[in-house]
Amino acid sequence: MKPLPKPLQITVYQDVLCSWCYLADLRLETLKQEFGDLIRWRVRPYPLRVHDKRPTEKELRGLTEEVRRAQQEPEPAAKLLTTELWQGGDAPRTSIPALAALEAARLQSPAARSHLARAMQQAALEQGVNVTRTDVIFELATRVGLDMSPFSAAYHSDDTRKLILDEHQLAVSRGVRGVPTLVIAGRWMVCGLRDLSEYREHILTCLGKLHTPRAGSAERVVH
């Protein structure tokens, strides 16, 4: 009997504060259902704001404009996006606490991480809530039903924050410069939000290449 091919691994780099990542998540969810066990999905943190400092006025204008551009996308969820996160007077200083919460949730299960991520995205991007605040993080974690004692220990651990910074450094060394970014089978990279059909086309192409003899090992970057 011919052995089944190994699943295609896709690593998705994202930041929970990014409107483009939120929309990419919605599109990729459709593909997760379509491809099923053919693909193994791996979500990794990529903080857009690494250092703990207040955004400058110029940065706030740029972040606000990014949201306004994302609002023009066709998904109904795009119309729910708000600029309040960056204009409401309590703008996040860094993405690290929110991403640390997602890593702490992931230790309980991938589903736990996914539920918390969706709750954080909706709170931050649809309601303008600063989800990098510890009180907000713990309220959302409780709301989605996490086991709070191990969650709290993992969230407050220095190792969790070190993991995020190490992941960021590794991603940068591999050519990741922003989010959302998909790295397919460790060889092909798709940068930025894409139409659902384009994501599907890239995945089908990479599935074909993965099981076809080829020469060389250069990674293909799709900007």
Side-chain angles (χ1 to χ4, degrees):
M1 180 181 294
K2 183 179 180 180
L4 294 175
K6 291 183 179 180
L8 179 72
Q9 179 164 295
I10 299 180
T11 300
V12 183
Y13 288 99
Q14 59 179 216
D15 188 323
V16 73
L17 302 181
C18 173
S19 299
W20 303 114
C21 290
Y22 185 23
L23 298 178
D25 272 354
L26 297 176
R27 296 177 187 182
L28 294 175
E29 189 61 38
T30 299
L31 298 178
K32 290 176 184 179
Q33 300 300 320
E34 286 184 16
F35 287 101
D37 293 339
L38 286 175
I39 296 177
R40 180 181 295 118
W41 299 86
R42 180 173 178 263
V43 182
R44 303 310 302 138
Y46 187 93
L48 293 176
R49 298 192 61 78
V50 177
H51 303 293
D52 187 357
K53 62 179 182 179
R54 187 184 185 282
T56 65
E57 291 302 318
K58 181 178 179 180
E59 287 174 329
L60 290 172
R61 288 194 297 272
L63 291 163
T64 299
E65 180 57 31
E66 288 289 318
V67 176
R68 288 178 176 151
R69 288 173 52 207
Q71 289 171 336
Q72 305 307 309
E73 293 296 319
E75 284 87 357
K79 307 303 182 286
L80 301 177
L81 295 174
T82 176
T83 61
E84 184 66 18
L85 182 65
W86 306 112
Q87 293 185 311
D90 186 26
R93 297 168 59 91
T94 172
S95 306
I96 300 295
L99 295 175
L102 295 183
E103 289 305 298
R106 184 176 62 84
L107 293 177
Q108 298 190 26
S109 73
R113 185 210 172 278
S114 179
H115 292 323
L116 182 58
R118 185 58 53 88
M120 294 176 80
Q121 287 171 325
Q122 291 175 332
L125 304 172
E126 296 181 6
Q127 301 168 30
V129 176
N130 182 355
V131 297
T132 68
R133 288 171 36 186
T134 299
D135 59 331
V136 174
I137 288 170
F138 275 67
E139 179 182 345
L140 292 174
T142 300
R143 190 181 301 173
V144 300
L146 296 185
D147 186 341
M148 294 305 296
S149 180
F151 173 81
S152 178
Y155 171 73
H156 288 295
S157 171
D158 290 339
D159 289 341
T160 302
R161 283 157 173 75
K162 182 178 183 301
L163 179 150
I164 294 168
L165 295 174
D166 288 348
E167 286 272 3
H168 181 267
Q169 187 175 14
L170 179 63
V172 170
S173 73
R174 292 177 172 174
V176 178
R177 295 293 180 267
V179 291
T181 292
L182 274 61
V183 178
I184 306 175
R187 300 202 298 254
W188 301 285
M189 186 181 296
V190 181
C191 308
L193 180 68
R194 301 307 179 94
D195 291 338
L196 177 62
S197 59
E198 188 173 349
Y199 279 132
R200 184 184 293 111
E201 179 182 352
H202 287 310
I203 291 172
L204 287 170
T205 299
C206 294
L207 277 169
K209 288 182 177 179
L210 188 66
H211 302 298
T212 302
R214 65 189 183 90
S217 59
E219 181 180 78
R220 183 182 178 214
V221 179
V222 183
H223 294 285

